[in-house]
Structures are given as structure tokens and as C-alpha cells.
């Protein structure tokens, strides 16, 4: 099943190599496809790791083990399998992950807790241990590859490779972040899990790296939605090799901590947007900004209620300034809102203010805005200072075609 | 915009007249359409009323006033406007509703709090007071009509008229319930609000009628979903005229109270199913039964997470036994669940048991079941005794066509 490249695709950026992080790829043959499907990134000794994981309670063994092992803070390797998610496979699935961890740890001479594994693809089929073993053997002997090769290898139904980079000055030392992600927008277990990896040469204490990643996640990955469904395998990991030689960042008070946190946030935001841009059937990229909420969390929840509404998403697909559907979505969010203080706009033009349609509402600029590919919806609740932006795509025939017009 | 009759449509049943409840219809001309769009049901003095309303905080003035006035327990008239929902219209919208209440109350010689008004249709346009006034004048002079005429008149994008009836023996007296509903499944403000009305000749104390309706609502209207969106105007009202002459039902201990409550529940379930059967683009009627939850409420929330999942709904549209998507939806529900105790089936055949695909899973009977129009999904969480059934429809190209392929 191959789909046309998303009309919202962006070219793969030039991602710098990261000292201490060496990607390699191989063909494990998890599916009958003529492409690499196993990625192995070797990490320098002492590399710090942080992670955020799906909150789906039916998560995969990879997520269970990753969540457990990220707590010890160090990583020597990342393995990503594409073509088989190994989810809902019981103890046999868990054994397959542990076998990979043991094999790689044995080769690198590290504790197995420092080997992180992700898998994405069909569910309900235990990852074949022999294919994984042979694939890892091949990868360990392979030449290092580019981040773009790695981005293509972790992909499944993605229609384009996705990467992002940023730099920051930390105590007079330039540090670099290079990051890749896969996810065809639909955040779901069936060949569409979101898996993201950030690699940096910065020296960062694991606890502070986790704090930065968790904070960035709240404002990036946790602010995107394609169809409200949540994968059993979603994972974002950050690895800091320390090869840049900066004085290690240990807290928000460390010199350069702000710059590093901002660069990490920037990379995560870029990655999150790329996932939405590859949303299944997406024709338009939608930013929903909610202001005037009682607090930022409330603003985010209202934003997600709008971004998850099938009626709002189909209206945007139809290039229809249907602000009534936005009213409905605000009202169903379960957050404080007052109909008579609510204002709604598109592309910077108010359609309704304080609970009523504008008497002199000119739909022409809104109609022109909605014909574009980059759409903004503005909502002011008129209650407080809370503010958030969330991102989504429209809901089109393409989504139905991808998800209903075939049998698994 | 006219749509083909739903393939899941059912013929309008023979609804008995209800002594003390007299429906009439008229052309108010809320839209430029050659059909009646105003319904007025006159109710005998002393009629008891109960209601359940949308929880959308951006609700219409009709809902605000209805919720307020239902508390006094008595009704003399119901007015339903089709073609204009009067939602998000500020104080002018409220004035229009109050004008209708005053006009009808003046004619019938009752307090205006006993006149209940609902409106459905386009939002953001205040209901035109002059059209409403003239329509009501016409309706008051019109001949009484059938329930089927009333069901057609309250409809907007509905593709078929919807009604239900039941009887019960109350203390040796037969009481009858006749009910109508509109809603094309999408529970949303844009020409698709759910409005339901139950009329009975039983004598019932308002507080007990409210208790019965609230209970039935929990297990019927609150257990259906088409697309997870929630109307700003949803309303279900029950009116009991008392004309049957039974000893009034005042509590669950009154003789015949069980039979009446069961009949009301039956009527509400029928109405709720009819709304799903007219779900936008629906090709299949889906019942999701969740057992083994920690309690009934948890089972209902897990069921709704499944029924609202675009990935589950598109899988059913594609006749695809994709139980992995059901696993995902269970996991994202936010309710207690254990992947390794979870079992999932379709049409009575288990596909996965206790966290793993069945070794001897025979997909043939499941594939045959999924080709039908009436689909069942069974989920056993394996944790407790909680149980619930919710109903939805599949997500098809028809939904996108109805909601995206036009401009409002």
C-alpha cells in the first residue's frame, strides 16, 4: 500500500552529523519489501537519555521496557524495527525485545538497560527473533549512514522522510541537535505509530534532559492530533552524547540551559509539525490558537477539542468558514467557557465576537485564507490569560480511502 | 442539500394518538423551502414534563430556558422550529424565544414557563420573530396532524421520519407512549441537532418522570455517538398528560412504576437507535458491548472510546476485522484496562483473548459478519462485572461528502 506524497510535504533538511551518535541501517526483512527496515544508532559511552511515551494503557513491550529503563539515564544504543509493531503479542513479544537488548548489549559491552528498542508496523504478530538477530548482526558491520537514510528506514506509511536540526550556544560552546521522526499523522497502532529521536552532542545531565524533553513535549507532540487516536507505541527519545565538550547542563540555572532548552523545543516543534504534514489524507495544515482561557492547560484542552472535531476538520477541508462548528467544539471541551464572551476568527479575521456574529463581517478575506494550505483558527474565550496553540490537519476523502478502502 | 435515504432507514411505525397531546404544524418559512417547519403540540392542563439537555456549555437560549423551566414540572405546549437553530445569537435570540413563549402562553392562558421551545437549523442567525409569530398563529388554527407529520416537520437533514411507541399496564390501566425524534446522527449544531419528544397519557408526578427519563437517557441517548461532536441544542422532553386515568405514579414504589419506566426506556432506546441509523454517511449500524469493566460507567466510557474512534469506524466501513484498532481505542479510553486480560470479538467470534491473537482464529465467520449491515463488537476487559452497550455507525466517504463537499 503506497500513497502519494503529501501535498504538505517538506524537503529533508541538511542534518549535521552528531559526534558520538552513529546511525547504521540493515534489511531485517520484517516484511516482504525491498528496503532497509532496521535502524541501529550506536551511542558513545556516557550518553544521557530522556524519553516520553504513549499514555495508552495497552502499550507495547518496547514502551514498557523503555519507560522503565529511561529512568537510569544512560544509553549506548537505539534499535528501531519497521514493519512489525510487536504490540499485543504477550510474553513472546517481550522476549523478542529482550533478545535484541541482550544481543546489542553483548556486542557493545554495556548493561542491557542501556539499549532502547522501538517497533512500528502490524500488530498482533510477535517480532521474529531470528530476523531481528540477523538484521542487527548486519547493521553492526555496516558503514555508518546519513540521518536521511535512517529517517527513511524508520518510516512505514510515511510519504516523506522527516528531520529537523537546531544549534545552541552553551557556555561558549556550540552544540548541535539532529532529529528524525516517523508517523503518518494518524497516531495509531496500525502502521502509523509516531516514533521520534533527537540526538545532540551537548553534555546534559539525564534528569535535566528529561525535564527539557517533558516540557517541550507538552507544547509540541502533545499539541498535535490527526484523528484523536492514540498509538500503543508512541515514543520520543532524546540522546545527549556530550561530545561537544560543554560544561554539563545540570539544571535550568546552568549557563546556556535556556538556549539548549529552546533549541530542543524548536526541534520538537519542527518534528511535530512534520507529522501533521504527513497526516493521512491531509490537504491543509491547521494551527488553532486559543487565548483568554483560565490557564494554559485549559487553553490546550479547548484547542484539542477543536482540532479533534470531525465537523471542524471537514469544514476546513471544504474551505468553509463554519464558525458555528468551532463554537460547538469549544462548548463540548468540558472547560470553562462563556458563550457570550466567545470570539472566533480565521486567518486573523474575526467572524464572531463576544457571542454574536459580527454585524459587518466580511467573509471575503476569510474565504481567501481558507483556500490556502496553511490555515489558522483563532479563539478568544475572554476569561483569562491562558493561551495555547495546537496543530492538526483537515479530514478528507483521503483519510477514508487510506483507512477504509482496504482490508488489513 | 438533500441526501439519499439512509440504507439503515426503518419505516415509520403506527403511532397511537395520545389523549391530551395535540400536534399541529405550519409553514413559518424559516428557510426558503416548500414545507412545514413549525410544530406546535398543545398539552392538557396538568401535563407533567421532564427533560434532559445538552451539556455543551455554548448552548442555545432554548436550552437555557428549557432547563430552567422544566424544574417547575408542568407544560401546556411545545413549539419546535426547524431551519434555524437560533444558537449563538446573543440577547436577540433569547428575545425571540421569550416572544414565542409569551404568544403561546397568552393564547392558552398559562404561565409562560409552561411553554417549551426548541429550534434546529443554521446557527448565528436570530430566529425571525415575525415569521415565528405568524407561524404560531397559523398553527393554532390548524387541524391536528399525525405524529408522522410532526416527525417530518421537526426534521432538517434527516433522511427519514423517526418515531417509536410502547405501552405499559399501570395499576390495571393501559398507558401509551408515542415519541418522535429528529437528528441525522451527527450530534452537532449545523442542521443536525438531536431533538426528541415523548408523549404519554400516563399520570406521572414530574419528579418521578424526570427520574425515569434521566435513567433512560443514561442507557440510551448517552450511549450513542456518530462523530463525537455534541450539539449546542440537544434536547429530549417527556410529557405525561394523565389522560389515561391511572393512579399517578409518584415513585419507583408506585404500582406499575417498573412497567412505565421499562416502556419509557424502550421508547428512548428505539429513538436513539433511529438517530444512529440516520448517521451521516452511515452504511452499518454498530453495537459495541463492553463487559468485565470495573463498573458500568467505566464500561460505557470504554465503549464510547471505541465507538468514537475514527480508526475503528473506518475499519468497519472497510469490513476489516482490525481488532488492533479496538485494542488501541480501549487503551486510550483512560479507564482501567490490562492488555494481557483483554479479549476482542466481532459478531460473537473471538479474534483475540487475554492479550494475544487466538492461535486457531478463523476469520471466515468474522468476515461474513462484517459484510452485513448490523455489526457487533464484543470487548471483555477481564477485570470486573461492569457492562455497557453503546451504538454508533461506520465512518464513510458519505460523511466527508456531507460535511466537506459544500460551503455553508
Amino acid at each position: 500500500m503506497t500513497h502519494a506524497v503529501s501535498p504538505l510535504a517538506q524537503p529533508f533538511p541538511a542534518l549535521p552529523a552528531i559526534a558520538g551518535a552513529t546511525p547504521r541501517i540493515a534489511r531485517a526483512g520484517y516484511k516482504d519489501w525491498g528496503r532497509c527496515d532496521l535502524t541501529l544508532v550506536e551511542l558513545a559511552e556516557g550518553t544521557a537519555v530522556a524519553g516520553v511515551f504513549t499514555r495508552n494503557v495497552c502499550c507495547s513491550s518496547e514502551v514498557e521496557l523503555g519507560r522503565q529503563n529511561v529512568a537510569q539515564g544512560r544509553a549506548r544504543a537505539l534499535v528501531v524495527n519497521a514493519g512489525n509493531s510487536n504490540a499485543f503479542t504477550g510474553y513472546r513479544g517481550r522476549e523478542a525485545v529482550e533478545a535484541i537488548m541482550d544481543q546489542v548489549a553483548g556486542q557493545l559491552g554495556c548493561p542491557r538497560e542501556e539499549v532502547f528498542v522501538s517497533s512500528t508496523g502490524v500488530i498482533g504478530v510477535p517480532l521474529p527473533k531470528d530476523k531481528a538477530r540477523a538484521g542487527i548482526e548486519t547493521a553492526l558491520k555496516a558503514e555508518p549512514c546519513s540521518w536521511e537514510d535512517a529517517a527513511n528506514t524508520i518510516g512505514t506509511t510515511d510519504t516523506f522522510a522527516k528531520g529537523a536540526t537546531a544549534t545552541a550556544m552553551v557556555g561558549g560552546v556550540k552544540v548541535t541537535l539532529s532529529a528524525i521522526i516517523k508517523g503518518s499523522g494518524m497516531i495509531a497502532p496500525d502502521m502509523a505509530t509516531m516514533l521520534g529521536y533527537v540526538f545532540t552532542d551537548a553534555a546534559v545531565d539525564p534528569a535535566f534532559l528529561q525535564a527539557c524533553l517533558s516540557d517541550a513535549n507538552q507544547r509540541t507532540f502533545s499539541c498535535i492530533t490527526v484523528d484523536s487516536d492514540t498509538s500503543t507505541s508512541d515514543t520520543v527519545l532524546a540522546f545527549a552524547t556530550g561530545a561537544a565538550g560543554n560544561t554539563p547542563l545540570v539544571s535550568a540555572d546552568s549557563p546556556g540551559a535556556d538556549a539548549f532548552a529552546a533549541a530542543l523545543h524548536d526541534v520538537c516543534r519542527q518534528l511535530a509539525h512534520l507529522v501533521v504534514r504527513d497526516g493521512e489524507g491531509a490537504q491543509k495544515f491547521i494551527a488553532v490558537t486559543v487565548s483568554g482561557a483560565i490557564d494554559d492547560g485549559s487553553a490546550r484542552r479547548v484547542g484539542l477539542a477543536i482540532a479533534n472535531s470531525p465537523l471542524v476538520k471537514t469544514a476546513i477541508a471544504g474551505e468553509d468558514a463554519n464558525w458555528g462548528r468551532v463554537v460547538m467544539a469549544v462548548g463540548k471541551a468540558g472547560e470553562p467557557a462563556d458563550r457570550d464572551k466567545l470570539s472566533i476568527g480565521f486567518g486573523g479575521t474575526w467572524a464572531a465576537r463576544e457571542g454574536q456574529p459580527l454585524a459587518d463581517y466580511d467573509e471575503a478575506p476569510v474565504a481567501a485564507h481558507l483556500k490556502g494550505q496553511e490555515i489558522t483558527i483563532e479563539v478568544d474565550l475572554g476569561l483569562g490569560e491562558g493561551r495555547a496553540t495546537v496543530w492538526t490537519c483537515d479530514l478528507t476523502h483521503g483519510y477514508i480511502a487510506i483507512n477504509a478502502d482496504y482490508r488489513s
Side-chain angles (χ1 to χ4, degrees), chain A residues 287-338:
Chain A
V288 180
T289 297
V290 177
S291 58
I294 57 159
D295 58 37
D296 291 353
S298 181
R300 190 173 74 88
R301 289 186 289 273
V302 171
L304 286 172
I306 297 166
N308 276 325
S309 163
L311 290 173
V312 172
K313 293 156 77 81
T314 48
I316 299 299
E319 302 181 350
D320 179 8
N322 196 321
W323 53 267
R325 295 185 181 183
V326 180
V327 174
M328 172 281 299
V330 170
K332 75 165 184 167
E335 294 295 319
D338 180 339

Side-chain angles (χ1 to χ4, degrees), chain A residues 127-148:
Chain A
L127 193 75
K129 283 197 252 187
D130 50 346
K131 288 184 180 174
R133 168 164 288 276
I136 286 166
E137 272 177 24
T138 305
L140 283 165
K141 294 177 204 146
E143 289 296 310
C145 70
S146 67
W147 290 122
E148 185 167 6

Side-chain angles (χ1 to χ4, degrees), chain A residues 4-10 159-160 277-279 281-284 373-374:
Chain A
V5 173
S6 168
L8 305 174
Q10 294 195 329
T159 75
F160 63 96
R277 287 181 176 279
D278 210 1
Q283 300 282 327
K284 293 175 191 290
Q373 276 190 339
E374 313 276 327

Side-chain angles (χ1 to χ4, degrees), chain A residues 104-369:
Chain A
V104 175
Q107 282 289 323
L108 301 183
C110 69
R112 84 171 185 184
E113 290 73 28
E114 296 186 9
V115 179
F116 290 80
V117 182
S118 304
S119 303
T120 174
V122 296
I123 69 153
V125 181
L127 193 75
K129 283 197 252 187
D130 50 346
K131 288 184 180 174
R133 168 164 288 276
I136 286 166
E137 272 177 24
T138 305
L140 283 165
K141 294 177 204 146
E143 289 296 310
C145 70
S146 67
W147 290 122
E148 185 167 6
D149 287 342
N152 276 312
T153 303
I154 67 173
T156 52
T157 53
D158 301 64
T159 75
F160 63 96
K162 304 174 187 75
T165 184
T167 59
M169 290 305 291
V170 175
V173 177
K174 178 181 162 191
V175 303
T176 304
L177 296 83
S178 286
I180 57 175
I181 198 163
K182 65 93 42 179
S184 59
M186 174 179 67
I187 307 307
D190 193 58
M191 298 292 288
T193 294
M194 184 183 78
L195 299 176
Y197 307 101
V198 181
F199 303 91
T200 177
D201 53 10
V204 190
D205 181 71
F208 182 60
L209 185 63
Q210 182 67 52
C212 291
L213 182 64
S214 295
D215 182 60
N217 173 57
Q218 271 303 309
R219 291 179 291 146
T220 58
F221 302 114
S222 293
C223 288
I224 62 170
T225 179
V226 169
D227 57 9
S228 81
D229 280 337
T230 309
S231 164
T232 49
S233 307
D234 281 353
T235 297
V236 176
L237 294 168
F239 302 99
T241 67
N246 60 292
T247 307
L249 297 170
V250 297
S251 78
D253 297 328
S254 302
D258 284 357
F260 175 76
L264 182 64
H265 177 258
D266 183 36
V267 162
C268 290
R269 185 188 50 74
Q270 292 181 55
L271 294 181
H273 286 194
L274 289 169
V275 170
V276 172
R277 287 181 176 279
D278 210 1
E280 294 187 319
Q283 300 282 327
K284 293 175 191 290
F285 180 85
I286 307 169
V288 180
T289 297
V290 177
S291 58
I294 57 159
D295 58 37
D296 291 353
S298 181
R300 190 173 74 88
R301 289 186 289 273
V302 171
L304 286 172
I306 297 166
N308 276 325
S309 163
L311 290 173
V312 172
K313 293 156 77 81
T314 48
I316 299 299
E319 302 181 350
D320 179 8
N322 196 321
W323 53 267
R325 295 185 181 183
V326 180
V327 174
M328 172 281 299
V330 170
K332 75 165 184 167
E335 294 295 319
D338 180 339
R339 183 192 66 200
D340 297 333
K341 291 183 177 167
L342 184 57
S343 300
I344 291 165
F346 299 92
T349 303
W350 292 116
R353 292 230 65 172
E354 298 180 350
Q356 293 190 62
L358 280 185
D360 57 351
Y361 172 45
D362 176 9
E363 199 178 328
V366 172
H369 174 71

